[in-house]
Amino acid sequence: MKRLLLSAAILTGIVAPAYAQDTRPLFVIERNANRNVVRYDAQLTGEGALDPKEPVIAYWIMLANGGHREELNFLERQLAYGFTIQPDPSGRGYRMALAADREREIAVFQKDDKVTAEIIIAGRPAILTKLSVNSNDGGVLPSVNYIELFGRDTVTGEHRYEKLQPKR
């Protein structure tokens, strides 16, 4: 009887099987165009380690349209919100670079059950929580006015902030 109940619970989604993947939020990108955000999550294996096949995933949360999830389209992945990710040479995590700024690396590290995205904000190492993009929509591609980085100092825990002007 116990076995039958457990099987029914797994099939109905009440109990997740041991091999199911889990995610942990890393950071979001907000835009001034609307309330929709791009969310970046660390993806973990069933054992709780960063998934070596796909350690980070990104997708839209359509807050302006009921809050449903949508995948990034091809252009969004290639030009703005997509990213490349490689194992960190130290073996402690991964190095990722957003398509919009491949020069500024984000380090994704796991310590115990906590996963963080670390970046330099205003000259200090910080845990990245949010990027905010201010742009003008017009023409084929939007024109970025500035980008704001928000996070917490990895040593002091203080809030970190930096405003970036695009290179023109």
Side-chain angles (χ1 to χ4, degrees):
M1 184 67 172
K2 277 187 185 179
R3 193 174 190 180
L4 180 60
L5 289 175
L6 180 59
S7 295
I10 289 172
L11 289 173
T12 59
I14 296 170
V15 176
Y19 56 84
Q21 287 190 313
D22 192 10
T23 59
R24 299 283 191 281
L26 290 172
F27 61 94
V28 297
I29 297 180
E30 297 177 342
R31 302 169 316 130
N32 65 314
N34 56 41
R35 294 181 38 230
N36 301 337
V37 298
V38 178
R39 182 169 157 171
Y40 295 80
D41 290 347
Q43 189 161 256
L44 307 177
T45 65
E47 293 78 38
L50 279 168
D51 184 345
K53 294 178 187 167
E54 194 173 22
V56 175
I57 57 173
Y59 52 92
W60 285 102
I61 300 293
M62 308 305 279
L63 296 173
N65 303 317
H68 68 278
R69 175 180 168 157
E70 283 186 17
E71 298 306 314
L72 302 175
N73 68 35
F74 178 78
L75 284 177
E76 291 164 345
R77 284 192 312 271
Q78 296 301 311
L79 301 176
Y81 308 114
F83 59 91
T84 57
I85 190 158
Q86 300 294 324
D88 186 79
S90 71
R92 293 182 37 225
Y94 294 86
R95 298 276 176 189
M96 70 182 278
L98 296 174
D101 185 1
R102 299 211 185 268
E103 293 177 21
R104 190 177 283 235
E105 283 191 335
I106 301 168
V108 178
F109 293 113
Q110 181 175 15
K111 184 176 182 183
D112 302 321
D113 66 340
K114 188 174 182 179
V115 183
T116 59
E118 297 180 14
I119 192 169
I120 302 297
I121 300 178
R124 301 268 309 166
I127 297 170
L128 180 63
T129 55
K130 176 174 71 174
L131 286 94
S132 184
V133 179
N134 183 287
S135 64
N136 295 322
D137 286 338
V140 177
L141 296 174
S143 170
V144 174
N145 299 319
Y146 59 87
I147 298 171
E148 297 171 294
L149 302 174
F150 298 87
R152 291 183 325 276
D153 192 287
T154 59
V155 176
T156 67
E158 295 174 332
H159 290 284
R160 305 296 307 155
Y161 169 81
E162 183 175 358
K163 186 174 184 178
L164 305 171
Q165 301 292 334
K167 298 172 188 170
R168 303 216 188 234

